[in-house]
Amino acid sequence: MRPLPLAAALCALVLALLAASLSLGYAPIPLRALLGAGDPLHVMVMQQIRLPRAALAALVGAALGLSGAAMQGYLRNPLAEPGLIGVSGSAALGAVIALQTGLAAAFSLALPLMALVFAGGAVGLILLLAGPRGGSLTLILAGIAVSALAGALVSLALNLSSNPYATFEIVFWMMGSVADRSLEHLALAAPLIALGAALLLTTGRGLDALTLGEDAAQALGVSLGRLRLTLLLGTAAAVGAATAVAGAVGFVGLVVPHLLRPLCKARPARLLWASGLGGAAMVLAADLAVRLVLPDRDLKLGVVMAILGAPLFLHLIYRTRRGV
């Protein structure tokens, strides 16, 4: 599919889902309330509740989809996803510590800030473990080690927790959700996700060259060290910010690039922006389903994404096997 029609179709889908997310819910509200027109109660709900939720759903999906496409392109592995390098697990560890120590109750933005600090620390540790000249295999091993350590520490915090309320909050936060988020969360996450996306989008040329192999990419003038550093920093900023405000939302960075790769003719540079738009559409659709399917229950976004993403990914695997 040509880039322009694909971009137009994905942008139209994201805008349609964004409009549906703003107007639909427990009680339908006209979109004019977004501009301050109409019932004051509708205006308050639209601007203070639905706008941050819809915007964060789109940003989180874009961050995860774009990061997943970048990781798969760099590692040349269709099973790669943003959590492979331990950023999301480390961000979750920071959030768990904020909840366990009571910082989240004392300061509203303590949880996302702690998550961002730990995500940045994870990238620093991965760079230290992988070394300045480490290849993709070293990066994978370092990421797995950091992710396993973060997961073990999260389990330890849950195991030793003496506060049942903190444990309850930790478990529900780790399920992933964009509900009850404010404009403060949006203001915190949006600049970092935008920075991470800008860094990742600059890796397109290098990822295209890398499809020919590392030696060929270097012969074409691609600096693999700079490419890896840009990829890690961009993924840390985008995924760290997304995890900080939404918790653990899986399968987006894994499934979306697979769905869109045939439409992009398997070109990593084209797949980057397509996966960003596709990820935004998928998370917006999943969050809309959360609000409409069981409006009286606190159904979590991460649970819905796992229910939808796992069968879809299994179908993609089966289709790939048949093609082979």
Side-chain angles (χ1 to χ4, degrees), residues 6 32-33 40 46 73 101 103 106 110 137 140 150 158 178 197 207 215 231 234 241 263 311:
L6 178 61
R32 67 175 183 272
M46 178 68 79
T101 57
L103 287 174
L137 179 59
I140 293 174
L158 287 170
V178 289
L207 295 179
D215 292 337
L231 181 83
L263 300 177

Side-chain angles (χ1 to χ4, degrees), residues 10-21:
L10 289 173
C11 287
L13 179 60
V14 170
L15 290 175
L17 288 170
L18 191 60
S21 181

Side-chain angles (χ1 to χ4, degrees), residues 223-251:
S223 172
L224 296 182
R226 182 181 301 173
L227 178 64
R228 184 184 62 174
L229 181 61
T230 304
L231 181 83
L232 284 176
L233 292 178
T235 301
V239 177
T243 306
V245 296
V249 180
F251 284 100

Side-chain angles (χ1 to χ4, degrees), residues 66 192-204 227 229-235 237 272:
L66 176 57
L192 288 171
I193 292 177
L195 174 63
L199 288 172
L200 291 174
L201 288 172
T202 63
T203 63
L227 178 64
L229 181 61
T230 304
L231 181 83
L232 284 176
L233 292 178
T235 301
L272 289 176

Side-chain angles (χ1 to χ4, degrees), residues 32 46 59 70 143 177 275 289 310 312 324:
R32 67 175 183 272
M46 178 68 79
L59 287 173
S177 177
S275 294
L312 183 59
V324 172

